[in-house]
Amino acid sequence: MPKYLPAFIEVGGLRGLIQYASQPMDSFQEEAAWALANLTSNPDNKMKILQLGALDRLRALHLSPSDEVQAASTKVLASLGEILTPSSRRAISSRKS
């Protein structure tokens, strides 16, 4: 892990990326989703991303008309899905409706 990542996360970098993903521009959304996907290579970051409430935002990005935004959000959602239990997946899926 690069030396700067713990400091980035400690000062609220994950929250900033999630907010960045909420911007109306596809390029911002795509870059933020790819950055989050890269950060999910660390299990601790996965939990922090989930705890910050990013799941709803990422699911919204997954429905984007932009193929690039969809691809980036698919990557991060797949990575986050690795730590979810079957019951938590069902709870999240039921919120879609």
Side-chain angles (χ1 to χ4, degrees):
M1 176 181 340
K3 289 189 271 185
Y4 65 86
L5 277 182
F8 172 79
I9 292 164
E10 196 65 33
V11 298
L14 289 176
R15 186 178 311 279
L17 282 174
I18 294 164
Q19 291 172 344
Y20 200 63
S22 299
Q23 297 301 310
M25 294 178 59
D26 289 349
S27 60
F28 287 16
Q29 295 170 351
E30 179 186 357
E31 293 300 324
W34 280 122
L36 289 167
N38 290 333
L39 289 168
T40 60
S41 64
N42 178 311
D44 291 338
N45 291 345
K46 289 179 186 183
M47 285 305 300
K48 289 175 185 172
I49 290 167
L50 289 171
Q51 290 168 345
L52 288 170
L55 202 52
D56 287 337
R57 181 68 218 142
L58 293 166
R59 285 185 20 231
L61 293 180
H62 191 67
L63 300 174
S64 169
S66 164
D67 291 340
E68 292 81 10
V69 172
Q70 285 181 21
S73 65
T74 296
K75 176 70 173 169
V76 68
L77 287 169
S79 183
L80 292 174
E82 294 171 0
I83 65 167
L84 297 174
T85 64
S87 60
S88 63
R89 284 189 195 119
R90 280 192 297 278
I92 291 164
S93 294
S94 69
R95 289 181 7 193
K96 286 183 186 178
S97 309

